[in-house]
Amino acid sequence: MTGGAGQSGSGADEQDWDDVASDVLKMVGKQVKRWRERAGLTQAELGRAIGYGEEQVSSVERGRRPPRPEFLDGADEALGADGILSEFKEDVERAKLPRKVRDLAKLEAEAVELGSYAHSVIDGLLQTQDYAQTLFEMSTPALDEETIERYVAARMARQTIFDRRPGPVMSFVQEEVTLRRPVGGKMALRRQLERLLDIGQLRNVSIQVMPTDREEHVGLGGSFQLLDPKTGAKAAHVEVQQFSRVVSDRKEVRILEARYGAIRAQALTPRESLAFIEKVLGET
């Protein structure tokens, strides 16, 4: 899952900025240009002042490139914008999210309870940056560097869910194979397993492992995610290959809820799972 379990993100996710995101970037670019001209600086002069090239400044002003947070902070200081440009950082970060990821990120931000079953790779919310980077680099057809950077940033941004206070109740079930597949190499896998162990210690998070030798397994249909918002109806997110959708039909959500309950019952307990992950880490 690009949003949930977090596969490579090929196919439909590779569509460029949608209209909403483009409008945000153009608006921010116009503000940067307005403040630059008010300060009497050329694009090249602003670039030198904040450590960017003239072409990069031009791309930002035209709404072609999303400015990094340090770009906006640097421009704000260099142009004497009194925090106005820096305030656009959050708007830009939201705009950088692909459309479908924005929808999922909104559901996650509103969730008081979240459950995820990951069938083929580590869940996107649990991935290290190296792991996510490798997945996107393996996409077919191949992605350009800017697109890869955009999708990795989007995935990492979603992980602020672990910083929420109070945090939602979150449970994850990972297939054993996802703990053993050396995505990015052995050292990257070790760092990924260490991250799972760290997150598994959080009081509002449980991580379970589904051993490969289980004879009974109701989750063979693939990965999915369940989200229970503070207000509104429960929803699910399902993705396979390049097809991704949010499920809101109550009957379909109930089926996935029942399936997830069975998956958790068939998997190792959270305590057994952390011990299992430590064992795999020791073997890696």
Side-chain angles (χ1 to χ4, degrees):
M1 296 165 65
T2 299
Q7 291 182 8
S8 60
S10 59
D13 271 345
E14 270 59 81
Q15 296 177 6
D16 209 341
W17 314 110
D18 57 30
D19 291 340
V20 174
S22 293
D23 289 345
V24 170
L25 297 182
K26 288 176 182 177
M27 179 272 293
V28 173
K30 288 179 179 178
Q31 286 295 320
V32 172
K33 181 179 181 180
R34 181 174 295 131
W35 281 95
R36 175 181 61 78
E37 291 178 342
R38 181 179 297 180
L41 298 181
T42 65
Q43 292 177 339
E45 288 170 336
L46 173 59
R48 284 195 295 271
I50 63 176
Y52 286 84
E54 180 180 359
E55 187 277 331
Q56 291 172 299
V57 175
S58 175
S59 293
V60 167
E61 291 188 351
R62 287 180 292 155
R64 297 287 299 277
R65 179 194 293 264
R68 293 175 178 271
E70 54 267 28
F71 180 103
L72 290 173
D73 285 339
D76 191 279
E77 181 177 355
L79 302 176
D82 295 325
I84 292 176
L85 296 180
S86 291
E87 288 180 356
F88 289 126
K89 288 187 292 187
E90 187 174 336
D91 298 302
V92 171
E93 288 304 305
R94 282 197 298 266
K96 285 169 61 177
L97 297 176
R99 180 171 55 244
K100 287 184 294 184
V101 178
R102 279 208 304 275
D103 294 340
L104 179 60
K106 182 179 180 181
L107 286 172
E108 289 173 345
E110 297 172 348
V112 295
E113 187 171 350
L114 180 152
S116 179
Y117 166 60
H119 184 267
S120 57
V121 296
I122 300 296
D123 186 281
L125 289 175
L126 303 175
Q127 291 175 11
T128 64
Q129 184 164 329
D130 287 345
Y131 190 100
Q133 178 91 15
T134 300
L135 289 179
F136 287 115
E137 288 175 346
M138 292 191 299
S139 294
T140 302
L143 306 178
D144 59 58
E145 292 301 318
E146 186 175 346
T147 300
I148 291 173
E149 180 181 334
R150 177 189 174 201
Y151 281 96
V152 172
R155 186 156 297 171
M156 295 300 102
R158 288 173 47 227
Q159 296 182 7
T160 57
I161 191 171
F162 294 109
D163 300 326
R164 281 172 48 189
R165 296 293 183 272
V169 176
M170 292 181 279
S171 64
F172 301 88
V173 181
Q174 290 285 155
E175 283 291 332
E176 177 184 343
V177 67
T178 67
L179 309 178
R180 299 187 180 277
R181 181 172 291 123
V183 174
K186 283 193 173 182
M187 287 307 299
L189 177 60
R190 287 187 60 85
R191 289 191 291 270
Q192 179 62 72
L193 295 174
E194 290 167 353
R195 174 166 172 76
L196 294 181
L197 291 173
D198 289 342
I199 294 179
Q201 301 297 326
L202 299 177
R203 295 178 63 184
N204 61 317
V205 177
S206 66
I207 297 176
Q208 294 178 255
V209 175
M210 177 69 79
T212 303
D213 63 5
R214 284 291 195 259
E215 294 183 2
E216 296 184 359
H217 188 349
V218 301
L220 296 178
S223 305
F224 62 91
Q225 189 176 17
L226 295 167
L227 302 112
D228 188 0
K230 187 173 184 180
T231 59
K234 293 181 180 179
H237 182 264
V238 180
E239 185 164 357
V240 58
Q241 296 296 334
Q242 72 266 41
F243 302 104
S244 170
R245 71 184 180 108
V246 172
V247 179
S248 56
D249 181 83
R250 186 58 189 146
K251 182 178 179 180
E252 293 186 25
V253 173
R254 283 175 177 166
I255 291 173
L256 291 174
E257 283 183 300
R259 191 168 299 167
Y260 187 63
I263 290 171
R264 294 197 69 187
Q266 293 168 343
L268 298 175
T269 67
R271 179 171 294 183
E272 292 170 337
S273 297
L274 291 182
F276 189 93
I277 295 171
E278 287 181 341
K279 177 176 177 291
V280 176
L281 177 60
E283 297 170 353
T284 303

